[in-house]
Amino acid sequence: MKNDMKEILLTEEQIQKKIKELGHTITEEYKDHFPLFVGVLKGALPFMADLVKAVDTHLEMDFMDVSSYGKSMVSSGEVKIVKDLDTKVEGRDVLIVEDIIDSGLTLSYLIELFKYRKAKSVKVVTLLDKPEGRKVDLVPDLTGFIVPDEFVVGYGLDFAERYRNLPYVGILKPEVYEG
Ligand code: XMP
Ligand code: MG
């Protein structure tokens, strides 16, 4: 799979080091709050798995699947709930765990949804942020890395469902997605 990469943006070591730091920050912030971590499927799965192991306080995990991208690389701006939470968010301190924020449309939808459902607090941790892609005003509470406005894959992020299992984040060679 490495042959398909034009460039490796973030190595496995860089990602894991950053997740340890985020874990410490989250531990301090949420100690004794029993936060509800909401992972956004499928992209946030590897990040969620590593992040919760770096957090040293009790927490609950749940997952949501929303679609706005499909197989296309361009955001449609449409958000559809494919799988909802099994957990009640009322009165809970919710931490949304995302792989990447691009336009911000997916997240602003989720934040509003959880507020509507009477969460006590709603915050966002994202591994990657692409601020240049923003279509709505949204700043994550915690960010791993800022990335350029290019299509990235790996560590949960896919191209047509592939590359999610890479332990690093990279940019594909154009011939991979053009041909
Ligand atoms: P929005 O635009 O709503 O999008 O902030 C967030 C979701 O879009 C997907 N996304 C990407 N997926 N490489 C990917 O594999 C990318 O560069 C990329 N940019 C956005 C992703 O699923 C994210 O949850
Ligand atoms: Mg995707």
Side-chain angles (χ1 to χ4, degrees), residues 69-70 99 157-158 164:
Y69 263 74
D99 51 354
L157 293 151
D158 71 304
R164 291 194 199 276

Side-chain angles (χ1 to χ4, degrees), residues 45-57:
L45 189 79
F47 180 40
M48 178 84 145
D50 286 338
L51 184 66
V52 293
K53 288 181 277 180
V55 173
D56 185 21
T57 187

Side-chain angles (χ1 to χ4, degrees), residues 25-165:
T25 308
I26 292 169
T27 302
E28 289 311 308
E29 194 155 332
Y30 286 95
K31 228 171 202 143
D32 306 319
H33 286 246
F34 193 44
L36 175 64
F37 281 38
V38 175
V40 186
L41 295 172
K42 307 171 206 170
L45 189 79
F47 180 40
M48 178 84 145
D50 286 338
L51 184 66
V52 293
K53 288 181 277 180
V55 173
D56 185 21
T57 187
H58 292 293
L59 58 87
E60 187 173 1
M61 281 189 256
D62 203 346
F63 295 90
M64 264 190 99
D65 192 359
V66 293
S67 76
S68 76
Y69 263 74
K71 278 187 181 159
S72 157
M73 290 178 30
V74 185
S75 179
S76 63
E78 231 178 86
V79 180
K80 190 175 83 184
I81 296 182
V82 179
K83 184 225 168 280
D84 206 337
L85 296 179
D86 298 316
T87 316
K88 267 213 174 117
V89 305
E90 187 173 345
R92 300 294 301 269
D93 290 302
V94 175
L95 182 65
I96 304 173
V97 180
E98 257 286 29
D99 51 354
I100 188 166
I101 306 176
D102 188 3
S103 71
L105 292 166
T106 312
L107 263 181
S108 55
Y109 172 82
L110 288 179
I111 292 168
E112 288 315 307
L113 180 70
F114 297 150
K115 284 183 180 166
Y116 174 78
R117 292 180 179 175
K118 301 194 176 78
K120 189 167 148 207
S121 69
V122 184
K123 289 194 178 184
V124 175
V125 57
T126 187
L127 181 70
L128 309 177
D129 189 6
K130 253 191 215 180
E132 287 169 61
R134 217 56 113 250
K135 289 184 185 150
V136 289
D137 189 21
L138 193 150
V139 182
D141 300 279
L142 288 167
T143 303
F145 304 92
I146 305 277
V147 292
D149 196 11
E150 288 202 63
F151 196 77
V152 297
V153 296
Y155 200 74
L157 293 151
D158 71 304
F159 169 61
E161 296 304 325
R162 293 167 196 245
Y163 305 104
R164 291 194 199 276
N165 54 323

